[in-house]
Amino acid sequence: MSHLMNTYARQNVTFTHGEGVWLWDINGKRYLDALSGIAVNTLGHAHPRFTAALTKQIGKLIHTSNLYQVQEQELIADKLCQLSGMQEVFLCNSGCEANEAAIKLARLYGHNKGVADPSIIVMEKAFHGRTLATLSATGNRKVQAGFEPLVKGFVRVPYDDLEAIRQVARHTPNVVAVLVEPIQGEGGIRTPDISYLHGLRNICDEQEWLLMLDEVQCGLGRTGKWFAFQHTDIMPDVMTLAKGLGSGVPVGACLAAGKATGTFKPGNHGSTFGGNPLASTAALTTLNIMEQDKLLDHAAKLGAWLKQQFLARLGGTKGVVTVRGQGLMLGIELDKPCGDLVGKAREQGLLINVTADNVVRLLPSLVFSESDALQLLDILCPLITEFLAQE
Ligand SMILES: *Cc1c(COP(=O)(O)O)cnc(C)c1O
């Protein structure tokens, strides 16, 4: 019997090693990885240049402390600001921690301008993590049930609904920020109207609220831009990152710009491991390789082609509601729960995920090739068609 806490309904498969977009299990069976550890393995598995850079760093220094200057942390902060236009970075180890930092920053920003009881607008179907504050910000009762009392200070509105936010602005005086995913990941790869972020930016400017974007899943090249907000002409005040940032090494970041800059002072926030030399090197190397190998353009082009192929092959199929998403962040919504597809795909050597009960979620690594994409289509499309034809 396992001595692990029973927190996951794990699939019955164990992997021993990987290479690129492929994983091998303990029986030697090979799998095409179209999930990349839930948008984590940006560079696929065992990327040679990434492995070499990490190996070198491990031989020099893994951890010192945030009591000291950390050169590698300065470099990744510079790089993230250069790519995003943001001004400062706090480094941590995960998405929920990045969001905790954002939530604390927003509250402090509120207190600094005299709001004693600050609250943050959050969205239905949002996912922001599993710590107490982030599960309270999450818009999914399953994530919250049993962990009450929830953290106070969140006001929930429907996603992609600017009028609902204007309503809150009129009636709730203590709001200081909006926290939102530019594309909802766990919520079912939901993409808002193209004018949504722009509208949010306008309201936040009028109200002097912080616009805080959770790009933990959609950021870091997945949508074909470094950050999903870069498909628009707006800038956020706060942005959070994690998943793909370290290509598998745990690292998260909370970035600030504009009126959010300079909010935290020494003693306000911290993390023992946050941004240690190993994690910072993993992040910096990931970004450098993405740049050298032009993986953003690749993600944009391959993603657009994949989406068009899914639409062509499944668009007319009864039971397929929509194919949506951007770049290599794609969702295929079916008209019934489809969790069974995960096992059926795995039997055929393909790793996928189902989220929000009825959305097939694809988050392949950014090194996925056109021939990998063809194999994905050739396995998945018939599976979905057969699945929908049953009953
Ligand atoms: C995964 C995820 C998180 C939480 O990240 P962890 O590293 O699991 O804490 C937060 N926000 C979004 C949008 C995510 O997809």
Side-chain angles (χ1 to χ4, degrees):
M1 209 195 89
S2 174
H3 283 93
L4 290 171
M5 280 198 194
N6 190 21
T7 51
Y8 301 101
R10 294 176 194 270
Q11 297 169 45
N12 188 20
V13 63
T14 308
F15 301 108
T16 53
H17 63 289
E19 193 185 313
V21 301
W22 299 97
L23 280 169
W24 281 264
D25 74 10
I26 47 176
N27 302 315
K29 179 174 167 180
R30 189 176 84 143
Y31 300 81
L32 179 63
D33 185 2
L35 188 61
S36 56
I38 318 185
V40 167
N41 300 101
T42 304
L43 305 175
H45 303 282
H47 187 287
R49 276 178 287 152
F50 185 68
T51 307
L54 290 201
T55 307
K56 191 169 159 215
Q57 185 60 45
I58 288 169
K60 280 203 298 195
L61 206 51
I62 293 177
H63 179 85
T64 54
S65 166
N66 287 316
L67 295 171
Y68 313 115
Q69 310 285 327
V70 181
Q71 217 173 18
E72 295 80 3
Q73 216 174 96
E74 299 285 347
L75 295 175
I76 182 61
D78 289 350
K79 188 75 187 175
L80 283 171
C81 289
Q82 177 216 319
L83 297 175
S84 65
M86 302 296 281
Q87 283 159 12
E88 54 180 25
V89 182
F90 173 81
L91 290 158
C92 53
N93 316 287
S94 64
C96 60
E97 282 174 81
N99 287 329
E100 283 277 344
I103 292 163
K104 282 181 68 176
L105 191 153
R107 285 187 169 196
L108 191 56
Y109 166 82
H111 283 281
N112 288 345
K113 62 171 193 168
V115 181
D117 185 20
S119 62
I120 300 171
I121 296 179
V122 291
M123 306 301 152
E124 287 172 9
K125 297 196 168 79
F127 184 80
H128 298 297
R130 300 275 191 167
T131 61
L132 271 177
T134 59
L135 76 80
S136 301
T138 288
N140 179 346
R141 274 302 297 159
K142 279 191 211 155
V143 173
Q144 300 171 336
F147 302 109
E148 298 83 358
L150 300 181
V151 172
K152 289 188 286 189
F154 296 105
V155 183
R156 196 168 306 284
V157 298
Y159 189 58
D160 198 15
D161 184 345
L162 292 171
E163 191 42 44
I165 297 193
R166 286 194 202 99
Q167 199 78 12
V168 175
R170 280 194 287 273
H171 301 291
T172 319
N174 60 340
V175 171
V176 296
V178 176
L179 174 62
V180 61
E181 295 158 84
I183 298 176
Q184 287 190 330
E186 305 299 305
I189 316 288
R190 287 176 200 282
T191 48
D193 191 87
I194 41 167
S195 63
Y196 184 55
L197 284 188
H198 208 266
L200 284 178
R201 181 68 272 176
N202 285 339
I203 298 173
C204 286
D205 287 343
E206 278 161 33
Q207 304 291 330
E208 293 187 18
W209 297 343
L210 301 180
L211 176 57
M212 309 203 295
L213 300 183
D214 179 343
E215 294 226 11
V216 168
Q217 189 162 152
C218 63
L220 275 328
R222 187 147 288 284
T223 67
K225 301 267 188 193
W226 286 107
F227 308 103
F229 79 80
Q230 292 172 331
H231 292 283
T232 74
D233 59 2
I234 64 125
M235 280 290 296
D237 301 298
V238 172
M239 171 172 67
T240 56
L241 302 172
K243 290 199 167 84
L245 181 54
S247 216
V249 175
V251 52
C254 174
L255 289 76
K259 55 185 182 288
T261 312
T263 304
F264 282 140
K265 301 279 189 296
N268 286 145
H269 199 46
S271 164
T272 296
F273 291 121
N276 78 16
L278 176 63
S280 294
T281 298
L284 190 62
T285 308
T286 299
L287 300 182
N288 285 339
I289 293 176
M290 286 170 72
E291 224 166 24
Q292 287 155 12
D293 293 1
K294 303 192 169 51
L295 295 184
L296 301 191
D297 276 356
H298 175 68
K301 287 202 192 99
L302 187 62
W305 181 79
L306 250 180
K307 188 165 147 186
Q308 176 235 311
Q309 283 293 311
F310 276 121
L311 281 166
R313 295 188 190 201
L314 296 172
T317 307
K318 190 171 163 294
V320 175
V321 180
T322 51
V323 180
R324 59 176 175 243
Q326 194 154 20
L328 293 176
M329 180 175 191
L330 295 174
I332 304 163
E333 181 175 339
L334 307 186
D335 69 353
K336 62 176 185 183
C338 58
D340 288 353
L341 280 171
V342 173
K344 291 177 192 290
R346 198 178 60 247
E347 278 167 30
Q348 298 199 25
L350 172 67
L351 303 176
I352 59 165
N353 174 254
V354 166
T355 190
D357 284 338
N358 62 339
V359 181
V360 176
R361 177 167 55 161
L362 303 171
L363 298 163
S365 87
L366 305 195
V367 301
F368 223 68
S369 71
E370 198 155 321
S371 82
D372 300 328
L374 256 182
Q375 292 189 64
L376 166 63
L377 288 161
D378 287 345
I379 300 174
L380 187 55
C381 291
L383 266 183
I384 291 177
T385 311
E386 276 164 43
F387 176 77
L388 289 169
Q390 289 162 8
E391 289 143 63

